[in-house]
Amino acid sequence: NAGVTQTPKFQVLKTGQSMTLQCAQDMNHEYMSWYRQDPGMGLRLIHYSVGAGITDQGEVPNGYNVSRSTTEDFPLRLLSAAPSQTSVYFCASSYTLQGSDTQYFGPGTRLTVL
Amino acid sequence: GQNIDQPTEMTATEGAIVQINCTYQTSGFNGLFWYQQHAGEAPTFLSYNVLDGLEEKGRFSSFLSRSKGYSYLLLKELQMKDSASYLCAVLLPYNFNKFYFGSGTKLNVKP
């Protein structure tokens, strides 16, 4: 089991560019989510999905799009990058997010927008 | 809105005991989680509480009081490798369950 994988590990973009952060899991988890982590602000939920074809917004969804066409993959798209989107992005997955079912986090993508 | 408060930073000595507090005011509650995050790494699960009381897991214990909106993580016999950030997160019931995280507490363990 590779667990939760994210690519790329590092990325530098110019303002206005678009890109997709990839996230995949091989644990057959239904629940997947994207967070961003900024200094002093903890983890903030961007978007999440409870299964293929079902997504919902988190706290900070503006400027990001997601889709979930398969159980394994949950890509995050930045439509037009802005310096405010400079952050570390974590993808996480869990079976159901019920009870004590915890989330497993990927290694993160460090994004810089110039 | 949701609010979770944790101290920003704490320092403790190797071999000692440290308690990291977390207070929350949220619209709903489906459980409280503690995660550990070493610098430059992903968070990893430490503990879960949904009922009042203490949950013990080796050197780590976590306590919850739902009426007070309060939890703490207790780390015993501190080791240098316990230097990390500790994140408190509440599971919120909305359309679907989702997490809300506090800002985290950076713990420095000194020799």
Side-chain angles (χ1 to χ4, degrees):
Chain A
N1 272 1
V4 181
T5 58
Q6 292 183 237
T7 56
K9 284 188 168 48
F10 300 94
Q11 182 71 48
V12 179
L13 292 178
K14 293 181 180 177
T15 296
Q17 287 184 314
S18 62
M19 79 158 295
T20 300
L21 308 186
Q22 301 292 344
C23 174
Q25 51 88 14
D26 61 358
M27 298 175 281
N28 204 30
H29 285 172
E30 289 296 326
Y31 189 103
M32 297 185 74
S33 53
W34 277 103
Y35 295 89
R36 59 177 290 173
Q37 187 172 38
D38 303 296
M41 300 197 70
L43 287 160
R44 291 183 292 169
L45 183 65
I46 305 171
H47 286 286
Y48 65 109
S49 169
V50 297
I54 307 170
T55 64
D56 200 0
Q57 295 181 350
E59 297 172 67
V60 288
N62 292 341
Y64 307 95
N65 269 1
V66 292
S67 59
R68 184 100 178 266
S69 55
T70 67
T71 300
E72 295 77 20
D73 300 299
F74 190 43
L76 178 72
R77 282 181 287 278
L78 279 71
L79 309 172
S80 177
S84 60
Q85 294 178 304
T86 293
S87 188
V88 181
Y89 291 84
F90 287 102
C91 178
S93 75
S94 65
Y95 281 109
T96 64
L97 215 67
Q98 301 285 341
S100 61
D101 184 24
T102 187
Q103 294 183 102
Y104 297 87
F105 285 84
T109 294
R110 283 147 185 81
L111 176 68
T112 300
V113 182
L114 302 175
Chain B
Q2 321 297 340
N3 193 47
I4 298 180
D5 286 320
Q6 304 178 236
T8 303
E9 193 164 356
M10 300 179 69
T11 300
T13 305
E14 194 176 15
I17 299 173
V18 71
Q19 178 174 311
I20 302 174
N21 295 326
C22 169
T23 57
Y24 63 91
Q25 290 177 301
T26 56
S27 51
F29 179 85
N30 264 0
L32 189 142
F33 291 74
W34 284 95
Y35 287 86
Q36 181 189 59
Q37 185 178 24
H38 286 101
E41 298 183 8
T44 54
F45 170 75
L46 282 180
S47 71
Y48 164 78
N49 296 72
V50 68
L51 299 176
D52 291 353
L54 189 68
E55 295 284 340
E56 297 187 81
K57 196 187 281 188
R59 295 189 299 115
F60 294 74
S61 303
S62 57
F63 172 83
L64 176 68
S65 168
R66 288 171 297 170
S67 62
K68 295 181 179 175
Y70 169 68
S71 174
Y72 67 72
L73 180 69
L74 195 71
L75 291 76
K76 303 175 190 172
E77 300 168 14
L78 277 175
Q79 302 176 8
M80 297 302 292
K81 67 179 182 180
D82 296 329
S83 291
S85 289
Y86 291 86
L87 312 178
C88 173
V90 172
L91 189 60
L92 300 171
Y94 279 113
N95 291 336
F96 310 103
N97 280 348
K98 56 185 178 182
F99 273 98
Y100 188 87
F101 280 84
S103 299
T105 299
K106 184 180 179 185
L107 176 66
N108 303 302
V109 180
K110 59 180 185 179

